[in-house]
Structure formats: structure tokens, C-alpha cells
Amino acid sequence: MKLPQSVKLPQSLRLPRSPLSGRALTAGAVAVATLMAGGSAAGAVSAAERPAAVADAPDIPVANVKAHLTQLQSIATANGGNRAHGRPGYQASLDYVRAELDAAGFTTSLQEFTASGSTGYNLIADWPGGDADQVVMSGAHLDSVTSGPGINDNGSGSSAVLETALAVARSGYQPTKHLRFAWWGAEELGLVGSSHYVDSLGSADREKISGYLNFDMIGSPNPGYFVYDDDPTIEKTFKDYFAGLGITTEIETEGDGRSDHAPFKNAGVPVGGLFSGADYRKTSAQAAEWGGTVGEPFDPCYHSSCDTTANVDDTALDRNSDAIAYAVWELSQ
């Protein structure tokens, strides 16, 4: 996530898991508890009542997502401790993600831009097929701040989007709508890469994007479960998924306008997404709902050198990664 709005920017910058998925295990536990109680669990949704697309969307193995995070950590460690715009670590991160996508059969392209005197790149990956006049797009920023490796911010979103794209390829999914995935550069300098992408689109191409889904920080170590409320259909899709797990969500406010969905929203594209929290502090009510530590930031290592692979909550990463796949499948049918 980019620097808080109070920070002045230059004027020029305007492991193997169970054979049963996490969803299946959670649903089973809810069902057993409900039967034993002889009633229904508040906030839980029975298997029969859950959205049909849950059966279609694949479980995203959290071990795979974590493997991508390990690669990004190694890249940062080998390149001065970060993966920031204009630094070798960003280029190496870009090369890693693109190689994975190319091997899986995506059509990839790089979009070049300039920020702070350095060349930056967006990576765009299109899955062959689907109605090109109806594009479901998912994205995450790939750059870190200069002060750390950026594993939660935003290796977590980047890796989950990557693994969702690879799941599309593994399953041979052929949706009605066209699927496009993106990894943005220079988000930390003021949404530069995503703004450049949106500005480069003509009005007709913007209208073809039926929804843009943004994922920025989804594995915070003291996590919350926040859903963007910008578009009712996309918001409901994510809420339905978490309701199926018996998890209460809250409307995302901390990062509103501070991540890569903002340029799309400003251009009239329907947007949505997920967030697990940054430097806001968890309230007692939130801790009662989600667990974690009252009064501590959702991510104590936000924009710091300690934002490493040790700074990720596996459960939040797993649930949010599965939610991404659910939304991609649901919204592209």
C-alpha cells in the first residue's frame, strides 16, 4: 500500500496442505457444531445454502502462495533488502512472476512508464479466450518500499493473484468473460503504474472492464477481514464467500483511495477487493470477532525492514487467497 495521504509526494508523481480444503474443513466443523447444538450457527451458512460457485472455484494451496513469498524474500535479500521501483529487486521480482505465467500459457506483456527518474514496468497477463468485451481483471502491486522486502505489502497480494492465475491454467478454466491479471509498479510512489495503465486505455477499452479486483496486504500478522464496498456486486461476492466460512467482515476504510483500485474507480470501472489491515490498531470488538491482539497494529511491520516472510499470518493468507479464486470464478461466469 502506498504512503499515507499525509506524506507529500513530488508534483511529478500524481507447505503441503490437507487433501480437504480450508473451506471444506471449516464447513464440516460448522456442520458438526450445528448438529450437536440442534440448531443453526449464527453467521454460518450451511453447505446447501452456500454459493454454488464455491464448488467450482479451486482451493488455492497456501503452501504454493508461501513458496512465491519465499522467492520474493530471496530476491529482496539478494538485492539490497528491497524490491522497490527502479531497483534490481523489482526487476527480479517481475522476471520471476512473468516466467511463471509464461510457462503456464498466459500471454504476457510489459507496460513501461517513468517515475522518479527511473523506468518502471507493469506486468499484464491475459488468459486466452473469453469475451474480450467483458474483462474481469485482478491485480496487485509488486513493488516494495525501499526500507524493506515488502512481503506482506505487497508480496502477499502479488503471490495470491499469481497463484490464482496459475490455478486458472491448471484447471483449464474457460470462463464466459475474459480474464486478465496485473502486477503494478511504483504503487508506493503514488499509484504510478496503475494510473499509467488506466490513463493509457481509451474509453472503449475501459468500458470493457466489467470489474477490477485489487489485493493489497492480505496476510497481515494481526489480521482483520476487510472488504471494499465500492461496487455492490463485487462486495457481495466477497461477503458471500466469507459468510460461507462463518467469518464476519468489515468495510475497508483504512486504505480507501490509497491503492491501485483508485485509478480504476476514478475512471468509472467497478472495483472491489480485500485487505487485512496496515497500521491502524485492532479494537477490542475486532479482536473478539477475529482473534489477535487488541491495541496493536494489524501489521506492526508496515513499511519496515521486518516485513519479511515471518510477518505473514498463514490463516489470513489462506482464506484471502481462496476468496480471490472464488471471486474470479464467480464474476467471470
Side-chain angles (χ1 to χ4, degrees), residues 37-300:
S40 62
V45 180
S46 72
E49 295 169 328
R50 291 169 67 195
V54 168
D56 300 328
D59 179 82
I60 301 299
V62 70
N64 292 8
V65 181
K66 291 178 67 178
H68 299 313
L69 292 178
T70 298
Q71 290 295 321
L72 295 179
Q73 176 70 68
S74 297
I75 286 169
T77 300
N79 290 280
N82 67 73
R83 302 179 300 99
H85 164 77
R87 307 291 182 93
Y90 182 76
Q91 184 64 56
S93 300
L94 196 73
D95 292 344
Y96 169 72
V97 174
R98 189 178 193 182
E100 293 282 310
L101 295 162
D102 286 342
F106 283 83
T107 300
T108 63
S109 61
L110 295 181
Q111 184 184 45
E112 188 174 310
F113 60 87
T114 301
S116 293
S118 297
T119 301
Y121 301 95
N122 295 322
L123 171 60
I124 311 298
D126 285 274
W127 181 239
D131 184 353
D133 289 332
Q134 298 184 81
V135 178
V136 173
M137 191 169 186
S138 303
H141 76 86
L142 187 57
D143 63 314
S144 74
V145 291
T146 58
S147 58
I151 298 305
N152 185 39
D153 184 15
N154 182 38
S156 62
S158 291
S159 296
V161 172
L162 172 59
E163 191 57 31
T164 298
L166 297 180
V168 167
R170 284 194 299 267
S171 67
Y173 182 42
Q174 293 298 323
T176 300
K177 298 178 182 178
H178 180 74
L179 292 180
R180 180 174 299 152
F181 299 87
W183 290 262
W184 309 116
E187 187 268 359
E188 297 291 4
L189 298 182
L191 318 181
V192 181
S194 55
S195 295
H196 177 76
Y197 176 82
V198 172
D199 290 345
S200 71
L201 297 175
S203 58
D205 286 329
R206 290 178 192 170
E207 291 173 1
K208 291 177 182 178
I209 303 175
S210 60
Y212 170 71
L213 313 179
N214 192 63
F215 305 102
D216 189 353
M217 303 179 66
I218 61 167
S220 301
N222 190 28
Y225 292 89
F226 299 100
V227 175
Y228 296 13
D229 66 340
D230 301 281
D231 178 79
T233 298
I234 299 174
E235 179 186 6
K236 183 178 185 300
T237 300
F238 285 119
K239 285 186 172 181
D240 284 349
Y241 173 79
F242 283 105
L245 298 182
I247 297 172
T248 300
T249 59
E250 290 186 10
I251 293 172
E252 197 285 306
T253 58
E254 181 180 2
D256 197 19
R258 290 171 52 190
S259 192
D260 293 299
H261 61 292
F264 288 88
K265 179 180 178 180
N266 293 340
V269 175
V271 302
L274 300 174
F275 178 56
S276 57
D279 54 357
Y280 282 21
R281 295 179 182 272
K282 181 171 282 187
T283 67
S284 57
Q286 290 169 333
E289 186 64 46
W290 299 323
T293 306
V294 177
E296 289 296 315
F298 294 102
D299 184 355

Side-chain angles (χ1 to χ4, degrees), residues 305-329:
S305 60
C306 58
D307 187 10
T308 66
T309 50
N311 189 48
V312 171
D313 181 86
D314 288 359
T315 300
L317 184 68
D318 191 12
R319 289 169 171 170
N320 284 317
S321 297
D322 287 343
I324 294 172
Y326 171 75
V328 168
W329 259 253

